[in-house]
Amino acid sequence: MISSTLSMITFFLTLILGTIGPIECISESIEGNFLRGNDNDNHNHNDKDNDNDNHKVEQVEHEMIASLAERMRPRDIDKGTLIREASPPAHQFFHLHHMKSGGTSLSSWISCGKSRMDVHLATAGLSECGWGSYHRCVENESDGCRKRIDNAVVMNYCSPLAVTNYFNWTDADAVTMMRHPVDRVWSMFRFQTKSCFKCKDLKQIYQDMDASNTTQYGSGICLPQLSNHITRNLQKNIDVRNLDTIELSDSERVADAIDSIQNRFTVVGVIERLQESIELFSHSFPWLSEEIEGVEKKCPFPHSNASPSHNRCGENGGNWDLPDHPDEETRKVIEDHNQLDIMVYEAALQHFQLQKLAVVFSSDEDVE
């Protein structure tokens, strides 16, 4: 299954990258062999074909890195005019929050960063966790959330990317944080062991899902979290009123999600590479930096929303002591039910590497 997944990743990356014209090369020491891989992999081709193929890949690398460098250039929040009654322009910045992917910590960090500004920034949020309030917001034009979202400068969307388009945030700067699908699902299971998952073994929950025997579990967002939820979250082509109605094929869903990663976000972080992610966020948004010259308040990246220490799923309402990581059998079941998310995550890792190169590329341009 995993080898098949890796093959599909290669296919989708090739499909989406396409053929892009050349630009001025950056040095080989900066770009490395990001998309070219090991030359030994091409031993069945003649040298001329190898040279042509590598040249095309270099062209793609150069164009992507230059484009990312421009997209990731440092910028500040537009604070508007100095007129007392004027407010900063709305729809400037949003965080697409994936549950159990460092999203709560990232949201807290963003709140700290904007609190150091000398102007009030209207902020709002929309979350599927509030299943009823979410649906009232997207289905009822007179719901109070509409005005808050319309007037907000900064938003936290704990919902699919399509929702940001639905509310006309298409031109805003956007950030998100990714996490390995197995670790994310296991963390979600440990976080909601009782309320969502009724103290059942995760393997049993997946068996019940496969058999459509799910009435015993929590409603709303609970079970959708366990199967390709990140792919769904990153889709632009989804009905925001019927989020669990799947109309696209698996390949179309993955292609849509990967396109979002590559083309919609100013910065995509990866929780497994947290310090590097913090540096990328701080590069594009200096107001998020832990320390700002002349400002007393510091904003270190927090660690929020840990799994409960007492889940009430043990004997006599005690704690069911769940390990930090799933056993191999459970890991395999999670992987089997999150093949799309694994492909999307692998694409996010490749994009993360490009972002790092883009920062170096930008720095070299500034020096020149």
Side-chain angles (χ1 to χ4, degrees), residues 93-96 123-126 148-149 152-157 169:
F93 178 96
F94 73 81
H95 165 211
L96 190 74
T123 304
L126 182 64
R148 292 192 296 272
I149 293 173
V153 179
V154 175
M155 270 290 295
N156 182 74
Y157 282 102
W169 282 69

Side-chain angles (χ1 to χ4, degrees), residues 57 64 67 69 77-78 100 106 113 122 129 147 162 168 170 198 249 262 283 286 298 312:
V57 172
M64 291 178 67
S67 176
I77 292 286
D78 182 355
K100 308 313 297 178
L106 180 53
C129 290
K147 185 175 181 179
N168 299 315
T170 51
K198 310 308 176 186
S249 67
Q262 294 179 335
H283 167 79
K298 297 181 180 180
R312 296 176 294 136

